[in-house]
Amino acid sequence: PLVSWLDFPTLDRSYYAAYGLGAFCDAEPISIMKELPSNDDEIRIAVSPPKAFTRLSDEMSIFQDLISQYSNIRVIWTCFTQAMVASGSVHAAVEWNLHLWDLAAAELLSREAGGDYRVIKEVEHTPGDIWYSAILGHPKLVEELDELVSSS
């Protein structure tokens, strides 16, 4: 994508990015934290709720591995998660079993804010109905989370 935009009228905020131009919240540049906290308990990970891990098949072991590995988990299931990652409010997010339109802004927003984005799973639920799972956020955490999810 060349442009992404997440609008939250009730919060009076818009998050957006343009390829090669950066990521912004209401005209102010935003970025993923450059340095992770030295204390692992301070690393904030947003994760889709347990229901997302059982929608298509039983993948609760992945959810259990995530919450046992990271002590500071936020269980959130909205596109606001992606804005929180891009602005540095959480360090990474694991988005599970979502439609493409739910993740459409995430890749560009995350990368333009200095992070990484990986689609780690695609499942065709019914013909033409593909559900995606992705990890976005601080590049080091995206790598760690990808390894953890892949081994679960």
Side-chain angles (χ1 to χ4, degrees):
L2 297 176
V3 176
S4 64
W5 180 33
L6 295 171
D7 188 39
F8 304 100
T10 57
L11 299 175
D12 196 30
R13 289 189 175 193
S14 288
Y15 293 80
Y16 47 92
Y19 183 78
L21 298 175
F24 303 87
C25 175
D26 299 330
E28 295 296 322
I30 57 173
S31 67
I32 289 170
M33 292 182 187
K34 304 291 184 238
E35 299 293 324
L36 290 172
S38 56
N39 182 350
D40 284 349
D41 290 339
E42 295 175 15
I43 294 175
R44 296 179 303 277
I45 308 288
V47 179
S48 295
K51 178 181 175 152
F53 292 86
T54 59
R55 288 174 93 177
L56 302 176
S57 63
D58 187 2
E59 298 173 306
M60 272 305 288
S61 63
I62 295 170
F63 181 81
Q64 294 294 339
D65 287 348
L66 288 166
I67 63 173
S68 66
Q69 180 73 26
Y70 297 95
S71 61
N72 203 341
I73 294 280
R74 272 85 164 125
V75 178
I76 307 168
W77 205 4
T78 70
C79 61
F80 191 60
T81 303
Q82 299 156 26
M84 291 172 39
V85 170
S87 64
S89 297
V90 295
H91 299 99
V94 178
E95 299 275 42
W96 209 259
N97 288 330
L98 298 174
H99 287 103
L100 182 59
W101 56 79
D102 294 319
L103 288 168
E107 180 177 6
L108 187 62
L109 195 58
S110 182
R111 290 198 172 152
E112 287 297 318
D116 195 4
Y117 174 91
R118 293 184 191 179
V119 172
I120 55 172
K121 186 180 82 156
E122 294 180 28
V123 175
E124 190 166 21
H125 177 54
T126 58
D129 183 19
I130 301 172
W131 294 28
Y132 299 86
S133 298
I135 301 171
L136 58 144
H138 189 284
K140 181 178 182 240
L141 279 177
V142 170
E143 180 71 31
E144 279 181 26
L145 289 163
D146 188 5
E147 289 175 16
L148 178 67
V149 168
S150 297
S151 67
S152 293

